[in-house]
Structure formats: structure tokens, C-alpha cells
Amino acid sequence: MISAKADTSRLSARSLSLSEYLEEPGYDLPGSQDEHPASRPDYSASLTVSVVIPTLNEARNLPYVFARLPDGLHEVIVVDGNSADDTVAIARRLRPDVRIVIQNRSGKGNALACGFAAATGDVIAMVDADGSADPAEIPRFIQALLDGADFAKGSRFTFGGGSSDITRLRRLGNRMLSGLVNVLCGTKYSDLCYGYNVFWRRHVSVFGLDAETDIPIGGGTRLWGDGFEVETLINIRIAQAGLKVKEVASYEYSRIHGVSNLRAASDGWRVLRTILAERYYHWRRTAKSDTCIPESPATLAKAAPESISRAP
């Protein structure tokens, strides 16, 4: 079980493989009502897992992150935003079989879109490259999928989770934004803005993310969902599509090296704008069709006017 103490030494120990994890006694989350199930799901070698890691100048952090990746992964995809350091070279040195994808625009959302489009595994795990999320937790998320979830959503605020990085202001903002989405979408999210998620690849189309439009980095234009608001956009769209979401306890550590690109005020505003815009266009499209069945998010995104489909 992961220690609740923020400590970079946590990343030096060997990770269990996916199959080993599912055979470990007490692999359930703390507080589970079924700590010792009579029968456990059979982890089949035919289940393939892709890990997508967006990077931008994360050369010093990758050794810690890669060391915690479980064994038995189908592929590790590093999506780079034209890093100025040796991120790509370090990734290839650490893991010769790594797949390198260069994102075609800028922003975390675009990096994830490119990674999802390139992934070939049955399951996709999205993991940050700064060491804040522990890749050794991936089997917990996979367990939730094997138990019937469509989307395993990480949460720092459910029992067994935590954070040594979040500030009081960000915690308050996250709580308010989570509450707003829960009211508007009928969800029960405890942590709207956390970006550690694992899901079946067959559901990528529900996200409606554009991985094809090329805009040169530094061109000053981003598409809707290209920035840090991407987690909120995904969480709203999977709820509107009726996917089964299971929250999984996760611990967030402080970034190991470098400075975070998060900006509480501006990113909070972008998240709020995303919530209101997504709900408005969902309501407009469903009202026109006179049905409660939501249309494809991809179709909705294409129908959005320029002022909404492109972020400032």
C-alpha cells in the first residue's frame, strides 16, 4: 500500500507487475467490504495496457516515473510538446521500446488526444510525467475496469486517497467545481480536476478530442479542450454519455523537479467556462432532438461556434 508521506524515495522501489498485483493478498482498496474475496478476476495476458505520458521538459522526472511503471505493459507512449531539454532522449534511454509521439498543437489536452489516438492497447492509462501520480497504482484502476467500470477515475478525496501538493485555494476551488458538475450532470464526483484516469480504449470517441488538426506550437491558437481543462471536459462528456464511472483512491505527491504550469485562478476560470459551455451545448442539442439521449460529443464539438470551439 502506498505511503501517505510525500517522499521521492517512494519511486525507487520495484513495482509489482499487473498479474502479480492481482494475486497479492489484500489488493483491494483500504476499507473495502470484501478484503479477501473467494475468487479474484483472472488477469489474462490478452488484456493489453497502454500508458500515455504527456511531457514538456520532464527529463529529470522521467527516471522516477518510469521506475514505477508496472511490468507487463503493452506499450508506453510519451507525447512530447517539443521539450527543450533531453526528455525524448532520456525516455528512449530508460525504455528502448517507448513510443514517442510529437503533439501537433500545444497544451496537455492536445498531448492526451494525440496519445489516445496512437494507443493500441485495450486499456489506456493517463499518467503525469512530473512524479505527482504514482504509476504503481495503475493495477488498482484496472481492477475497477475488470469489476465492470467503463472509466476508472482517480480521486484524492475519496477514502484512501490524499495529496501533499494541493493548496487550500485549489482544494476549495476543486470542491466548488465538483459540486457544480454534480448538480448539473447528476454525478457524484469527489475530485473533478484530478488527471489520473484509466479507461477502456473503446470509449475514446466519447471524449470528442481532436488529434488531427495541426496548429504550429507557438501559433497562439488552441482548440477547445487543448489545455488543462481537458480532465473536466472528459469527466462531463463521459457522464453525459452514460458511462459507468468508478472512483479509485489515489495519492498525489509534490512535483519532484521543475515548476508546475498550473495557475489556480486562470485554470479555474477555464474549468468553469468548460463546465458551462459543455452543459449549454449538451442541452441545446438534446432539446433540438427532443430526447434525453445525448448526441456524440464529437458531433457536438464540430457544431460549436468558433468562439466556443477555440479556447483563448
Side-chain angles (χ1 to χ4, degrees):
M1 196 58 62
I2 296 174
S3 168
K5 193 174 182 180
D7 178 5
T8 56
S9 65
R10 74 192 186 277
L11 297 173
S12 60
R14 187 185 79 86
S15 301
L16 291 175
S17 69
L18 297 174
S19 56
E20 287 174 329
Y21 180 85
L22 293 181
E23 293 181 1
E24 278 285 297
Y27 66 87
D28 292 308
L29 295 178
S32 169
Q33 295 180 356
D34 188 12
E35 293 287 347
H36 302 286
S39 61
R40 301 208 172 112
D42 177 27
Y43 175 74
S44 171
S46 63
L47 178 66
T48 55
V49 180
S50 301
V51 177
V52 174
I53 306 176
T55 60
L56 180 62
N57 300 323
E58 300 287 3
R60 291 193 295 167
N61 292 323
L62 284 185
Y64 299 93
V65 176
F66 275 36
R68 293 293 284 174
L69 288 168
D71 295 329
L73 296 172
H74 171 60
E75 60 187 355
V76 175
I77 302 173
V78 167
V79 186
D80 192 64
N82 287 288
S83 294
D85 64 5
D86 295 327
T87 293
V88 171
I90 292 295
R92 286 177 170 149
R93 186 183 311 163
L94 292 170
R95 194 174 183 109
D97 63 343
V98 70
R99 294 183 59 196
I100 303 296
V101 173
I102 304 301
Q103 65 182 101
N104 57 355
R105 298 190 298 277
S106 62
K108 182 180 181 180
N110 171 245
L112 289 173
C114 293
F116 297 163
T120 59
D122 301 314
V123 169
I124 298 177
M126 42 194 281
V127 178
D128 288 342
D130 60 4
S132 60
D134 187 353
E137 293 179 355
I138 288 175
R140 292 186 188 177
F141 290 78
I142 292 177
Q143 185 60 52
L145 299 183
L146 294 176
D147 287 342
D150 297 310
F151 191 95
K153 183 187 180 319
S155 174
R156 297 162 290 184
F157 306 125
T158 193
F159 183 75
S163 175
S164 56
D165 180 64
I166 195 167
T167 63
R168 289 184 179 180
L169 177 60
R170 286 171 51 208
R171 184 188 296 269
L172 176 61
N174 191 11
R175 181 178 299 176
M176 295 174 64
L177 293 168
S178 297
L180 177 60
V181 168
N182 289 339
V183 170
L184 294 177
C185 300
T187 53
K188 296 181 180 179
Y189 293 144
S190 65
D191 193 355
L192 178 70
C193 302
Y194 193 42
Y196 195 174
N197 305 300
V198 179
F199 51 88
W200 297 106
R201 182 169 63 92
R202 62 178 177 265
H203 297 311
V204 166
S205 61
V206 171
F207 306 163
L209 300 177
D210 184 335
E212 298 179 358
T213 303
D214 291 322
I215 297 176
I217 292 180
T221 303
R222 285 184 178 181
L223 298 187
W224 186 247
D226 273 0
F228 281 108
E229 73 280 1
V230 64
E231 287 99 355
T232 298
L233 183 148
I234 289 174
N235 289 333
I236 292 175
R237 290 183 176 180
I238 62 176
Q240 291 174 164
L243 298 189
K244 183 177 180 181
V245 180
K246 172 68 174 178
E247 287 197 333
V248 177
S250 178
Y251 195 93
E252 178 190 41
Y253 297 89
S254 298
R255 164 183 277 273
I256 300 174
H257 296 292
V259 178
S260 174
N261 292 316
L262 287 172
R263 299 293 181 268
S266 59
D267 290 331
W269 164 244
R270 289 174 68 88
V271 169
L272 177 59
R273 182 169 178 255
T274 299
I275 294 170
L276 298 178
E278 286 292 315
R279 286 305 295 167
Y280 171 72
Y281 280 98
H282 172 71
W283 170 81
R284 192 179 75 170
R285 300 293 292 182
T286 54
K288 281 186 176 181
S289 63
D290 194 29
T291 178
C292 294
I293 302 175
E295 292 198 21
S296 163
T299 302
L300 183 150
K302 289 178 181 178
E306 189 75 7
S307 60
I308 294 297
S309 64
R310 292 182 184 269

